[in-house]
Amino acid sequence: MRVLDSHLHLWDPELLHYTWLDGPLAWLFGATEIEHARIPRATTERAVFVQAETVEDDFLDEVRWVASLAQRVGVVGIVAGARLDRGTDTTAHLEGLAGEPLVVGVRHNLQGEPDGLAVSAAFVTGAREVAARGWSFDACARASQLPEIARLAAAVPELRMVLDHLGKPTVGTADVPVAPTMEWVRDLDDLARHPNVWCKLSGLPAEAGGDWSPEQLAPFLDAAADAFGVERLMWGSDWPVSVIGPAEADDPYANDDGSPMYQPTARSRWAETVIAWAERRGHDVDAILWRNAEEFYRIGARPTPADAREERPRRGLLGWLRGERT
């Protein structure tokens, strides 16, 4: 079974600057860490790296760092950080990204932006510049913002867009599940009417705080399939954001106070959950796990750079799990 993870993060707080990392996420997540989170059933595993919300000044440095690890990690495409509302500064940044061969798209993270930004004149102009370069746009937005994403899709129909994390609906937890709301289903359907928009089956474990079950999340996968059709769905792990939560059973490193921690098998559990769901529904598993992401990001036979420098020794997550937390 081949797997092309459409939504993988990597970060290094000693090399780049982030303002949002805390708790078990505030550690190095690089080549060594993802190697310990591989999907056992995958005979071939590749990934699209999605910007990890460094500070804006580090957007290009982040691309270059990930490119240096690409061959070792299996990254075959990079969705770079970009602000699309900066006018000439946006143009200059996109021109800088054009010199990086692994860049296949950009993401201006919209989930915390004020209403109306994504359909402002400046943003739409930036989005058109992205489309003109043949790149795609990752729309990371909350459920309440889906109508605005639909308006952006209508304003720039030539731009290939993918909705991250199904629009971050409220899902509850394994013990207290929440059914999909009528509003979210309606807005997802409205967005899917734009043929230039696709959807990632990603991020739902994080919306559950890491406390989830396959049965709880299946209705959300069904709604996405009903809206977009299997041909516009792609699996994404959202690693490591979606692997933080209550300790897994028999984890020898479980926190004594029960606080959230890294879940070593959560990435593979999410993959197996989507695979099992797709098989039960009679959906094309290879399309969801590989072909659709390959087509959307126009990866094909895109080579990875030969420069795959070893990471310099740092105190990464594996050390944290073993108690090196000072």
Side-chain angles (χ1 to χ4, degrees), residues 9 17 22 25 35 41 45 47 53 66 93 96 118 123 125 142 146 161 190 199-200 215 220 241 253 264 275 283 294:
H9 299 297
H17 301 88
D22 60 12
L25 287 178
E35 197 59 38
R41 271 214 287 170
E45 190 176 324
E53 206 61 8
V66 173
H93 179 60
F123 196 99
T125 297
R142 299 194 178 279
L146 291 182
M161 298 172 54
D190 289 344
C199 182
K200 289 185 182 180
E215 298 76 19
F220 296 88
V241 178
Y253 304 111
I275 291 167
H283 298 328
E294 183 181 51

Side-chain angles (χ1 to χ4, degrees), residues 27 33 253 314-325:
W27 291 78
E33 287 69 32
Y253 304 111
R314 298 192 185 96
R315 294 189 311 146
L317 174 76
L318 298 181
W320 187 86
L321 289 174
R322 293 179 175 88
E324 302 166 13
R325 308 181 189 184

Side-chain angles (χ1 to χ4, degrees), residues 246-269:
E248 295 177 308
D250 302 320
D251 187 338
Y253 304 111
N255 293 329
D256 293 337
D257 62 1
S259 58
M261 63 178 296
Y262 182 80
Q263 301 171 328
T265 71
R267 182 171 182 261
S268 56
R269 283 193 290 116

Side-chain angles (χ1 to χ4, degrees), residues 14-39:
E14 293 185 21
L15 185 65
L16 302 166
H17 301 88
Y18 312 81
T19 61
W20 64 279
L21 297 180
D22 60 12
L25 287 178
W27 291 78
L28 167 67
F29 285 88
T32 299
E33 287 69 32
I34 188 59
E35 197 59 38
H36 287 269
R38 295 298 185 190
I39 299 165

Side-chain angles (χ1 to χ4, degrees), residues 171 202-212 217 237 241-244 266 270:
V171 300
S202 62
L204 295 186
E207 295 307 303
D211 180 10
W212 58 277
L217 300 183
S237 70
V241 178
S242 279
V243 297
I244 303 299
W270 178 237

Side-chain angles (χ1 to χ4, degrees), residues 204 213-223 273 277 280-281:
L204 295 186
S213 71
E215 298 76 19
Q216 167 203 1
L217 300 183
F220 296 88
L221 302 178
D222 287 335
T273 292
W277 164 79
R280 287 196 306 272
R281 301 295 192 263

